[in-house]
């Protein structure tokens, strides 16, 4: 029947040439852009070209590193979290956070069950000097092999009874330190109840430095809804603004300290939440009003907290017509506003929030679903992804940038009166990126329960596995 219907349509088109011409003229018209993938294929998309040029213009700045980031330090140690195994938690939950301390040190927080544990970076390194780049070795497939820290001993983590929750903790997030050195950490349990803790930045092993804390409660009551993944995030520009997303209730609640401001109902089940400034989308406004980004289903929805009602949704970014569920979203700084998302389809999609256009996609960067995504601060064209295959990889999401940078260097050489020949260093980078976008990777001994990026200008990452093994890496 399908074949007969198709043949009938062809005979009708042949029998009515005028109708066929109208169909052909209608099909040659420019299609309406409905998602980011179609905008990449639309002929004459000025906004897309401008978005890509904005990214290229920033990445060609002299203060942005043009070299491929290399792994300079990789340390592995086993943790003792109260003599018990780490609770499983959600598949895409992040239960690791890093706090920046005075003197360039870090404090690592790990949650298991209802409790939160803390360990200092010095205890992980163990004071060993044999953790430099010269001691790193590569294994099968070119992956880096970690060196054993803490002199091969199990590091005992200190439990924090004051931060204990009523049920299993699903996520941890800590804000960047302010001018006073204080940071705000939020921990959420499986029912959406949250605990915000203000921590000082003093380096003291005997005292974590809890300044104050307050609890957050969902408006509809925590025990009314089904238990599942919940995520909390603190605004990077105002620590009083906090957002909490719940998977099964399909909602996101924004708090100003302990007062609920807004409650948004999502179309699909949210898997990650992010707070960013309106400076990302509005060039040089300087008002600092936050925007809310939610990864729900295979789309990323952007909400404006200054607008109430259904008109608060600014945009909806699609990964494609057949994209899988998104599990993580990430953003860069104000200087180079970029918004990225990854998940089930194992692709990293990056948009320019100033134009809300997709600039590029890193396809098949992991063997399994991606659960964590972070942009490199020294070189934003690279990102770090972690998936369910217990591998953490750093690679280039923008594969055209090396060619553009090489062409820019050749034009500068020609303008200076020199021969515009091939640039050896940049050409080797482009060739390396064409062969494989991954610049460095290493593997853990089991599934990641969380990957966190240290605050500041350094590219330092901390990852913890379900077997209570911590990996500390520096690029």
């Amino acid at each position: 029947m399908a074949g007969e219907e198709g043949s009938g349509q062809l005979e009708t088109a042949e029998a009515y040439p005028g109708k066929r011409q109208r169909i052909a003229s209608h099909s040659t018209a420019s299609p309406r852009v409905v998602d980011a993938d179609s905008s990449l294929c639309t002929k004459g998309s000025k906004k897309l070209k401008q978005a890509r040029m904005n990214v290229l213009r920033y990445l060609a700045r002299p203060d942005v590193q043009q070299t491929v980031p290399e792994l300079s330090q990789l340390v592995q140690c086993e943790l003792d979290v109260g003599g018990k195994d780490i609770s499983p938690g959600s598949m895409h939950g992040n239960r690791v956070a890093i706090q920046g301390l005075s003197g360039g040190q870090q404090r690592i927080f790990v949650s298991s069950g209802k409790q939160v544990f803390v360990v200092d970076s010095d205890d992980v390194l163990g004071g060993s000097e044999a953790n430099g780049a010269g001691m790193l070795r590569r294994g099968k497939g070119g992956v880096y092999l970690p060196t054993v820290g803490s002199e091969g001993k199990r590091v005992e983590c200190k439990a924090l009874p004051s931060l204990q929750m009523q049920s299993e903790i699903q996520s941890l997030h800590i804000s960047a330190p302010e001018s006073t050195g204080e940071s705000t950490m939020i921990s959420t349990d499986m029912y959406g109840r949250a605990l915000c803790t203000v921590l000082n930045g003093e380096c003291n092993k005997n005292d974590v430095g809890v300044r104050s804390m307050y609890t957050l409660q969902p408006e509809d009551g925590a025990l009314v809804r089904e238990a599942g993944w919940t995520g909390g995030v603190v605004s990077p520009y105002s620590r009083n603004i906090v957002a909490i997303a719940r998977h099964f209730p399909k909602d996101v609640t924004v708090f100003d300290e302990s007062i609920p401001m807004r409650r948004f109902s999502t179309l699909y089940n949210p898997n990650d939440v992010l707070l960013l400034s309106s400076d990302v989308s509005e060039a040089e406004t300087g008002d600092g009003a936050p925007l809310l980004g939610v990864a729900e289903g295979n789309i990323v929805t952007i909400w404006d907290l200054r607008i109430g009602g259904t008109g608060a949704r600014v945009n909806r970014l699609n990964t494609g017509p057949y994209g899988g569920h998104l599990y993580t979203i990430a953003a860069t700084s104000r200087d180079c506003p970029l918004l990225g998302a990854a998940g089930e389809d194992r692709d990293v999609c990056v948009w320019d929030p100033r134009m809300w256009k997709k600039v590029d996609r890193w396809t098949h960067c992991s063997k399994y679903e991606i659960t964590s995504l972070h942009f490199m601060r020294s070189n934003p064209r690279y990102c770090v992804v972690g998936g369910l295959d217990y591998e953490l990889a750093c690679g280039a999401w923008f594969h055209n940038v090396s060619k553009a940078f090489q062409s820019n260097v050749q034009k500068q050489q020609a303008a200076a009166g020199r021969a515009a020949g091939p640039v050896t260093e940049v050409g080797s980078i482009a060739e390396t990126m064409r062969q494989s976008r991954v610049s460095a990777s290493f593997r853990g001994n089991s599934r990641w329960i969380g990957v966190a990026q240290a605050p500041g200008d350094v590219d330092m990452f901390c990852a913890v596995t379900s077997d209570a093994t911590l990996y500390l890496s520096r690029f």
Side-chain angles (χ1 to χ4, degrees):
M1 295 296 294
E4 295 178 0
E5 292 178 358
S7 62
Q9 291 177 0
L10 291 176
E11 291 176 359
T12 303
E14 293 293 338
Y16 299 93
K19 182 177 181 180
R20 182 179 59 184
Q21 292 178 1
R22 290 194 299 270
I23 295 174
S25 62
H26 184 270
S27 61
T28 56
S30 299
R32 188 173 69 92
V33 178
V34 295
D35 53 44
D37 286 340
S38 60
S39 65
L40 289 175
C41 302
T42 302
K43 185 177 180 180
S45 178
K46 296 183 179 179
K47 291 185 178 181
L48 175 63
K49 293 180 181 179
Q50 185 177 356
R52 293 180 66 89
M53 289 305 298
N54 290 338
V55 177
L56 285 172
R57 190 177 296 110
Y58 172 79
L59 296 178
R61 288 169 47 178
D63 57 338
V64 178
Q65 295 184 8
Q66 306 296 340
T67 58
V68 178
E70 293 290 341
L71 194 62
S72 61
Q73 189 179 41
L74 180 59
V75 182
Q76 167 191 353
C77 73
E78 297 182 0
L79 301 179
D80 183 9
V81 287
K84 301 179 181 179
D85 297 333
I86 293 183
S87 59
S90 300
M91 179 189 67
H92 57 281
N94 184 20
R95 292 179 287 164
V96 180
I98 303 181
Q99 179 192 7
L101 303 178
S102 59
Q105 299 181 3
Q106 291 80 26
R107 182 177 292 155
I108 303 170
F109 294 89
V110 181
S111 67
S112 176
K114 305 177 183 179
Q115 294 183 335
V116 178
F117 301 87
V118 62
V119 61
D120 292 338
S121 59
D122 290 345
D123 298 335
V124 175
L125 298 176
S128 175
E129 300 294 336
N131 292 324
M135 300 300 297
L136 290 180
R137 297 178 294 111
R138 290 179 179 266
K140 184 178 179 180
V143 298
Y144 283 94
L145 301 179
T147 57
V148 180
S150 67
E151 299 178 355
K153 300 179 181 178
R154 183 185 294 267
V155 178
E156 183 178 358
C157 299
K158 180 181 178 181
L160 303 177
S162 59
L163 303 183
Q164 185 173 349
M165 303 288 292
Q166 301 180 23
S167 57
E168 184 185 15
I169 298 176
Q170 296 295 319
S171 69
L172 287 179
H173 181 266
I174 193 167
S175 64
E178 299 182 350
S179 58
T180 58
E182 296 181 349
S183 302
T184 302
M185 184 179 67
I186 179 173
S187 56
T188 58
D189 65 1
M190 63 174 63
Y191 290 103
R193 296 170 296 206
L195 178 63
C196 289
T197 308
V198 180
L199 307 171
N200 60 21
E202 299 178 358
C203 184
N204 188 356
K205 294 185 178 181
N206 298 325
D207 185 14
V208 180
V210 177
R211 293 291 181 88
S212 61
M213 62 176 60
Y214 55 92
T215 59
L216 303 177
Q217 188 81 6
E219 293 181 324
D220 56 353
L223 298 178
V224 176
R225 301 289 184 173
E226 183 179 357
W229 175 86
T230 60
V233 63
V234 183
S235 175
Y237 309 114
S238 177
R239 70 181 188 184
N240 296 330
I241 306 298
V242 176
I244 299 176
R246 296 187 295 174
H247 181 78
F248 289 112
K250 295 183 181 180
D251 64 353
V252 181
T253 306
V254 182
F255 295 85
D256 186 356
E257 289 188 348
S258 59
I259 303 174
M261 295 172 47
R262 295 279 192 276
R263 182 178 180 270
F264 303 103
S265 298
T266 60
L267 180 62
Y268 304 104
N269 300 94
N271 293 321
D272 199 5
V273 62
L274 182 67
L275 278 171
L276 55 154
S277 173
S278 62
D279 296 346
V280 173
S281 59
E282 301 175 6
E284 299 181 358
T285 56
D287 53 2
L291 296 176
L292 177 69
V294 183
E296 46 172 310
N298 64 337
I299 61 176
V300 177
T301 53
I302 307 298
W303 306 80
D304 193 340
L305 303 184
R306 299 168 295 181
I307 304 175
T310 58
R313 193 180 69 182
V314 177
N315 209 320
R316 187 174 69 174
L317 308 176
N318 295 328
T319 57
Y322 306 105
H325 293 277
L326 298 176
Y327 295 138
T328 176
I329 54 178
T332 57
S333 61
R334 297 182 182 181
D335 298 334
C336 179
L338 293 172
L339 182 65
E344 186 179 0
D345 54 358
R346 301 175 294 130
D347 298 345
V348 175
C349 300
V350 181
W351 295 269
D352 183 3
R354 291 168 293 187
M355 307 293 295
W356 296 120
K357 291 294 182 181
K358 184 191 295 184
V359 292
D360 213 326
R361 175 197 291 260
W362 182 14
T363 60
H364 306 296
C365 54
S366 177
K367 294 181 181 179
Y368 296 94
E369 293 86 344
I370 299 175
T371 57
S372 63
L373 171 66
H374 299 276
F375 286 98
M376 301 286 288
R377 294 192 177 96
S378 60
N379 195 345
R381 69 170 61 88
Y382 285 83
C383 62
V384 175
V385 296
L388 295 180
D389 56 345
Y390 58 87
E391 183 176 1
L392 205 66
C394 174
W397 58 267
F398 204 173
H399 67 283
N400 293 327
V401 71
S402 293
K403 297 180 181 179
F405 178 66
Q406 182 178 4
S407 177
N408 188 22
V409 174
Q410 291 179 356
K411 290 180 180 179
Q412 293 179 0
Q413 290 181 353
R418 292 175 291 182
V423 183
T424 304
E425 181 181 358
V426 182
S428 61
I429 296 176
E431 182 65 25
T432 302
M433 293 177 63
R434 280 193 296 268
Q435 295 176 359
S436 175
R437 295 190 184 184
V438 178
S439 63
S441 64
F442 64 91
R443 296 172 182 171
N445 56 5
S446 60
R447 178 181 67 90
W448 304 113
I449 67 166
V451 180
Q453 185 177 13
D457 299 332
V458 297
D459 290 321
M460 186 175 182
F461 298 89
C462 175
V464 181
T465 64
S466 58
D467 289 343
T469 305
L470 185 145
Y471 295 84
L472 201 62
S473 59
R474 187 190 301 268
F475 291 85

